[in-house]
């Protein structure tokens, strides 16, 4: 992967929206952890920018407290001491150009010569264009002797048009090579392992196509409900919050062709091709639903029609995947927290064993468990010892916690922030990728936004696997949802 040559120029990591939840919960813990591991560049300074009336000391105190409370990390005193010497705070309003001038002046007085800058947009999405325009108009995006990068959190737009508009604002001041659109699912160790699994082993790739694969399922199930994020979630819903980004990203990793090299553009070119080949979504091939009680959440409209669960079927119209359905589902307030990809293989063309008449042949399947029990299972049939006609399904299993005992998996942000600092954009979403993903989901978003198309919203009981319609949807396809190499039962 293309990373920067080591240079000794200082780096300023500037966080807009530094008093928010994301900074305490994810960004500071990830940067701190990389500091402890000795992986942060020596000359990096982290500058928080927000409206709250903090000084540097108060900001440091707040970050430490947030990290302890939200990320449950209690830092060693020396480690924290070393880290917090790199932490600074500039108070300012995102609407105020003068505040950006003060930020500029603060950075300039800290260094003698050129310094690199990474701007992290951890603000509410409505401020993304505001911040970008201030940076652009004050020439803070210009690269001459040092680089300028911008990391943009999700959601990147609300639909295709707003994503295009946001890309236009970004590109008015930043070249695409400076832009890092973050999707934390790509930073998950197990998501990255999909490509290693597919392209560093010879045994799976030959069967990785319509010739042997019956269908693919991608499930991202959460037990939590929308918690305190009602106001945000009610405008987003599960399609915008999860499917457009995390699930479609997982789908591209499963379905993409091998890139010739492992560099950012080669990888992203292949992912875009998958998205471009997705057949326009058929609304009749989807189930949208809302968990009971959602409408009484603070910030949610009384008769909200926002779905908190979706199951959809997609086809990739290309040579490799023609005719293979990809079923995607995600929801809040479900029975288990799990993210999993199940690849189900076709039955053997001819069964030569003398099996009982009512014998139900279990297909082979491979399950890639992204979280929480990270690992890979392969299910296959075997003969029950001593029995002439009986067979049973068994698993070959790999669990990270067994094979890499004592090694905890790093949080996704640790990897992503370091990649952005080092200039490796492989795990970030390119502008064409994001726009194509929105385009695929347009019919569903229109239905979601227009109750007259969608009809009455189906509901489901919390702590179940979603509405019964989602099960019926699969049984009508002659298939069943699977979790961890098993069918799930409520
Ligand atoms: C975020 C969504 O992007 O991903 C949240 O906004 C969701 O609603 C979260 O809870 C899930 O992430 P993870 O890593 O816990 O699966």
């Amino acid at each position: 992967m293309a990373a920067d040559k080591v240079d000794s120029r200082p780096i300023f990591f500037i966080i807009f929206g530094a008093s928010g939840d994301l900074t305490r919960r994810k960004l500071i813990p990830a940067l701190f952890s990389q500091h402890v591991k000795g992986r942060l560049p020596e000359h990096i300074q982290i500058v928080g920018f927000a409206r709250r009336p903090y000084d540097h000391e108060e900001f440091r105190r707040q970050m430490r407290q947030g990290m302890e409370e939200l990320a449950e990390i209690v830092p060693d005193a020396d480690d924290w001491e070393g880290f917090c010497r790199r932490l600074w705070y500039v108070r300012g309003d995102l609407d105020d150009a003068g505040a950006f001038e003060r930020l500029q002046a603060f950075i300039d007085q800290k260094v003698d010569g050129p310094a690199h800058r990474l701007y992290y947009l951890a603000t509410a999405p409505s401020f993304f264009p505001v911040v970008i325009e201030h940076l652009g108009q004050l020439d803070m995006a210009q690269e001459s002797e040092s680089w300028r990068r911008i990391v943009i959190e999700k959601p990147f737009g609300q639909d295709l048009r707003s994503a295009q508009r946001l890309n236009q604002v970004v590109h008015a001041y930043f070249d695409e090579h400076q832009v890092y659109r973050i999707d934390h699912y790509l930073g998950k160790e197990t998501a990255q392992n999909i490509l290693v699994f597919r392209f560093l082993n010879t045994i799976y790739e030959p069967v990785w196509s319509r010739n042997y694969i019956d269908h693919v399922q991608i499930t991202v199930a959460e037990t939590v409900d929308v918690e305190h994020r009602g106001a945000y979630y009610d405008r987003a819903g599960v399609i915008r919050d999860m499917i457009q980004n995390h699930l479609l990203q997982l789908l591209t990793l499963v379905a993409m062709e091998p890139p010739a090299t492992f560099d950012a553009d080669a990888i992203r070119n292949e992912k875009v091709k998958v998205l471009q080949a997705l057949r326009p979504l058929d609304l009749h091939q989807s189930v949208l639903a809302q968990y009971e009680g959602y409408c009484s959440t603070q910030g949610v409209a009384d008769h909200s029609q926002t779905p908190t669960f979706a199951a959809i079927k997609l086809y990739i119209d290309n040579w490799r995947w023609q005719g293979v359905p990809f079923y995607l589902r995600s929801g809040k307030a479900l029975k288990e927290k799990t993210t999993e990809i199940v690849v189900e293989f076709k039955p053997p063309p001819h069964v030569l064993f003398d099996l009982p008449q009512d014998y139900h042949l279990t297909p082979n399947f491979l399950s890639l468990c992204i979280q929480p029990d990270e690992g890979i299972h392969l299910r296959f049939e075997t003969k029950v010892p001593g029995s002439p006609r009986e067979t049973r399904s068994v698993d070959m299993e790999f669990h990270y916690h067994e094979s890499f005992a004592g090694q905890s998996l790093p949080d996704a942000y640790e990897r992503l922030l370091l990649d952005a600092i080092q200039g490796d954009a492989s795990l970030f979403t390119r502008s064409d990728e994001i726009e194509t993903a929105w385009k695929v989901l347009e019919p569903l978003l229109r239905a979601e936004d227009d109750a007259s198309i969608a009809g009455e919203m189906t509901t489901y009981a919390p702590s179940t696997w979603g509405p019964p319609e989602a099960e019926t949807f699969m049984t009508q396809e002659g298939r069943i949802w699977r979790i961890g190499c098993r069918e799930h039962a409520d």
Side-chain angles (χ1 to χ4, degrees), residues 154 184-185 188 220 222 224 229 232-233 241-242 245-246 332 337 339 371:
K154 71 173 262 280
H184 79 278
Y185 262 61
K188 289 185 192 278
V220 181
E222 297 187 88
V224 290
R229 299 164 75 218
Y232 151 76
Y233 195 90
D241 188 49
M242 299 295 287
N245 34 73
H246 307 326
K332 296 236 179 244
K337 174 163 176 77
T339 297
Q371 61 184 21

Side-chain angles (χ1 to χ4, degrees), residues 191-443:
Q192 291 162 38
N193 194 39
I194 297 172
L195 294 190
V196 174
F197 176 78
R198 285 189 56 200
F199 302 137
L200 215 62
N201 298 299
T202 45
I203 56 174
Y204 299 105
E205 205 45 30
V207 297
W208 209 256
S209 73
R210 67 182 189 290
N211 296 327
Y212 293 96
I213 291 178
D214 176 77
H215 74 276
V216 176
Q217 301 182 11
I218 302 179
T219 297
V220 181
E222 297 187 88
T223 47
V224 290
D225 58 22
V226 300
E227 301 174 298
H228 58 282
R229 299 164 75 218
Y232 151 76
Y233 195 90
D234 208 35
R235 277 181 286 112
V238 63
I239 308 293
R240 293 179 167 96
D241 188 49
M242 299 295 287
I243 304 231
Q244 185 270 345
N245 34 73
H246 307 326
L247 280 91
L248 284 185
Q249 285 297 326
L250 293 177
L251 177 144
T252 60
L253 296 176
V254 173
M256 69 191 258
E257 294 300 318
T261 59
F262 208 56
D263 77 55
D265 270 326
I267 296 171
R268 297 186 300 179
N269 288 343
E270 295 307 333
K271 288 167 67 194
V272 172
K273 284 187 209 160
V274 172
L275 295 170
Q276 285 168 341
L278 282 173
R279 193 181 298 172
L281 186 77
D282 178 353
L283 268 191
H284 302 292
Q285 305 284 353
S286 63
V287 177
L288 297 180
Q290 186 184 81
Y291 64 81
E292 290 161 12
Y294 169 74
C295 289
S296 39
T297 314
Q298 195 183 1
V300 169
D302 286 350
H303 303 289
S304 170
Q305 290 287 300
T306 300
T308 60
F309 175 94
I312 61 175
K313 175 164 121 173
L314 290 169
Y315 282 103
I316 302 171
D317 282 331
N318 65 13
W319 194 276
R320 187 191 281 257
W321 294 113
Q322 194 51 240
V324 179
F326 281 70
Y327 300 98
L328 273 51
R329 69 175 166 160
S330 180
K332 296 236 179 244
L334 296 182
K335 189 171 176 133
E336 281 178 34
K337 174 163 176 77
T338 182
T339 297
E340 197 163 325
I341 299 163
V342 175
V343 177
E344 187 167 312
F345 293 91
K346 290 186 168 166
H350 169 63
V351 179
L352 51 97
F353 304 103
D354 177 24
L355 299 172
Q357 256 194 347
D358 57 350
Y359 187 82
H360 173 69
L361 194 65
T362 310
N364 296 146
F365 46 87
L366 182 77
S367 149
L368 306 171
C369 308
I370 306 296
Q371 61 184 21
D373 178 12
E374 294 89 355
I376 297 175
H377 302 215
L378 178 67
R379 169 151 296 190
F380 57 98
E381 293 306 286
T382 194
K383 180 176 168 302
V384 174
S387 149
R389 282 163 33 113
E390 214 184 319
T391 65
R392 189 183 306 157
S393 306
V394 291
D395 288 344
M396 272 197 316
E397 296 186 20
F398 150 62
H399 296 276
Y400 278 80
H401 67 84
E402 284 169 7
S403 303
F404 299 102
Q407 245 177 287
S408 59
L409 294 179
D411 185 78
Y413 276 88
E414 287 187 34
R415 167 70 192 266
L416 294 173
L417 298 192
L418 206 58
D419 279 3
I421 293 168
Q422 291 173 344
D424 183 350
S426 321
L427 300 177
F428 294 83
T429 322
R430 217 168 52 185
S431 59
D432 51 348
E433 204 175 342
I434 220 139
E435 289 182 15
T436 318
W438 279 120
K439 200 165 165 188
V440 171
L441 298 171
E442 282 281 286

